[in-house]
Amino acid sequence: MTDTILEPTISPEEIQIDASLRPKSLSDFVGQPRLKQSLELALAAAKSRHEPIDHVLLYGPPGLGKTTLSHIIASEQGGSIHVTTGPALTRAGDLAALLTNLEEGDVLFIDEIHRLNKVVEETLYSGMEDRRLDLVLGKGPAARTVTVDLKPFTLVGATTMYGSLSGPLRSRFGIINKLEYYSDTDLSSVLTRSANILKIQLDRDAVLALAKRSRGTPRIANRLLRRSRDTAQIHHHNHLTLQAVNDTLTLLQIDELGLDASDRELLTRIITYHHGGPVGVETLSSALSEDAGTIEEVYEPFLIQQGLLARTKAGRVVTDLAYKHLGLAKK
Ligand code: ADP
């Protein structure tokens, strides 16, 4: 697909900036009121029992704050955070090494937890449930099992694909929360906060213009803010005006709904080559040279939320709104 603001891989530079913009406490975390309330309550109750909170599962599209929340949970309960991902844990031994190193109150954050392999996932069950691990040492007839007790810890699992999680894994989380796309008002607060941290002078109408094009996603809002700052630096004497934002959005080919060239390519493909659908995600994946998982987890959720695309049993179908938005006639 073409250059995109949705870029699922994050550059090392961006990881650093992300960390500096990341809210450090629940009170700094913008939006998601129901989720915040439920976490606040769980943290306060656990604190009064002198225990870490129950295992937490966070799900929703990328860039909405799952990693941020896991850092906040660790710091609110006075523990450290250990970060890994489902695909990185290839052997049960890798997981055991992580779990046995946790101190009381620590958080083990597993991103993309739906991608854990079966053996590792099954090892995780007893670690989560009984805080103990049964480890098999050695091989063949000499093999023996030792049981290791773990310190009270919290597992925070994050996933963009709630439906891909197995029932047994899901049932071992005590707190399950969905992250929703952010409103324009909430994104405006995210942007204002980030502009203060990055010392960017930002006009009020420029904030709203950025918020409206950020697909309800703080990570994208922060990306667009930084790209607009570049324009402001070169052409607008460092002052981030509405004009600087509009120039940047035009350059990045982001339209008034926040769709970029890749989103429009996806919709146009379904209309032009498949009469509006239904078409399978695998077909789209090979036509657009994009990973099927990325299409499902990164592109589609927002298009569906905007009412431009629907998932049916037979495949993806574009809606009348998509034809209208792209200015294409139905044949
Ligand atoms: P995810 O883990 O869901 O992909 P992250 O937690 O990495 O998302 O969030 C991406 C970036 O967006 C973070 O660096 C942070 O700066 C910003 N962000 C996310 N949620 C919020 C929020 N509620 N308030 C302020 N900034 C946020």
Side-chain angles (χ1 to χ4, degrees):
M1 278 190 177
T2 27
D3 178 28
T4 167
I5 198 73
L6 290 179
E7 184 55 70
T9 48
I10 304 166
S11 66
E13 185 216 356
E14 188 162 22
I15 290 175
Q16 242 179 19
I17 298 176
D18 252 19
S20 71
L21 296 180
R22 195 160 264 159
K24 303 279 183 288
S25 65
L26 266 186
S27 51
D28 268 355
F29 191 85
V30 176
Q32 311 287 346
R34 270 194 311 144
L35 185 160
K36 262 186 0 191
Q37 219 176 10
S38 112
L39 277 182
E40 244 153 19
L41 188 77
L43 282 162
K47 198 173 195 172
S48 72
R49 292 193 302 265
H50 305 286
E51 287 172 3
I53 63 168
D54 209 341
H55 305 303
V56 181
L57 179 66
L58 301 171
Y59 68 101
L64 297 193
K66 298 182 287 300
T67 310
T68 305
L69 281 170
S70 69
H71 282 262
I72 292 176
I73 292 170
S75 90
E76 301 256 342
Q77 64 186 22
S80 308
I81 183 161
H82 307 252
V83 178
T84 186
T85 69
L89 292 170
T90 48
R91 294 172 312 144
D94 300 338
L95 176 67
L98 273 174
L99 287 173
T100 49
N101 272 321
L102 297 177
E103 296 296 332
E104 180 162 354
D106 280 1
V107 165
L108 175 62
F109 176 62
I110 306 184
D111 203 5
E112 299 185 67
I113 196 164
H114 61 281
R115 298 213 171 124
L116 277 180
N117 73 45
K118 257 278 111 1
V119 179
V120 177
E121 181 175 324
E122 278 163 15
T123 309
L124 191 57
Y125 293 163
S126 64
M128 289 175 78
E129 208 159 53
D130 315 318
R131 295 216 171 93
R132 56 194 288 174
L133 281 181
D134 293 321
L135 299 175
V136 183
L137 299 181
K139 277 189 180 152
R144 60 195 173 89
T145 308
V146 290
T147 302
V148 182
D149 287 323
L150 303 173
K151 309 242 174 70
F153 71 98
T154 301
L155 178 79
V156 180
T159 179
T160 47
M161 300 280 279
Y162 181 70
S164 304
L165 232 60
S166 73
L169 181 56
R170 226 181 287 171
S171 69
R172 283 172 170 82
F173 286 97
I175 302 167
I176 299 184
N177 277 303
K178 179 179 183 202
L179 279 96
E180 307 283 353
Y181 283 115
Y182 291 68
S183 65
D184 292 348
T185 315
D186 285 342
L187 285 181
S188 297
S189 307
V190 170
L191 285 159
T192 308
R193 182 179 170 278
S194 301
N196 277 333
I197 297 172
L198 299 172
K199 302 198 172 33
I200 300 174
Q201 198 188 344
L202 183 61
D203 282 356
R204 196 180 287 187
D205 48 3
V207 177
L208 195 62
L210 281 173
K212 280 185 182 304
R213 312 281 191 95
S214 297
R215 312 169 67 102
T217 306
R219 177 177 292 133
I220 295 178
N222 285 338
R223 266 184 192 168
L224 292 180
L225 175 67
R226 294 198 307 273
R227 300 293 287 264
S228 306
R229 175 178 62 174
D230 296 345
T231 314
Q233 248 167 356
I234 305 297
H235 300 296
H236 299 267
H237 311 290
N238 255 338
H239 188 158
L240 228 175
T241 57
L242 178 61
Q243 187 60 48
V245 168
N246 285 337
D247 289 352
T248 310
L249 294 169
T250 307
L251 190 73
L252 295 172
Q253 298 177 279
I254 294 176
D255 66 27
E256 61 282 8
L257 286 183
L259 308 195
D260 72 359
S262 301
D263 295 303
R264 289 189 297 273
E265 201 181 340
L266 180 81
L267 296 172
T268 309
R269 181 99 207 166
I270 303 177
I271 292 174
T272 324
Y273 289 88
H274 306 278
H275 308 288
V279 52
V281 70
E282 296 298 338
T283 309
L284 289 172
S285 156
S286 53
L288 300 168
S289 312
E290 184 61 272
D291 178 58
T294 305
I295 294 183
E296 270 182 299
E297 295 164 45
V298 179
Y299 292 90
E300 287 184 348
F302 185 71
L303 297 175
I304 293 169
Q305 195 244 11
Q306 290 292 303
L308 298 166
L309 184 76
R311 277 183 192 150
T312 68
K313 281 211 174 81
R316 275 55 176 171
V317 182
V318 296
T319 63
D320 290 349
L321 206 60
Y323 281 93
K324 200 166 153 225
H325 180 68
L326 296 169
L328 294 172
K330 241 175 161 173
K331 284 193 197 128

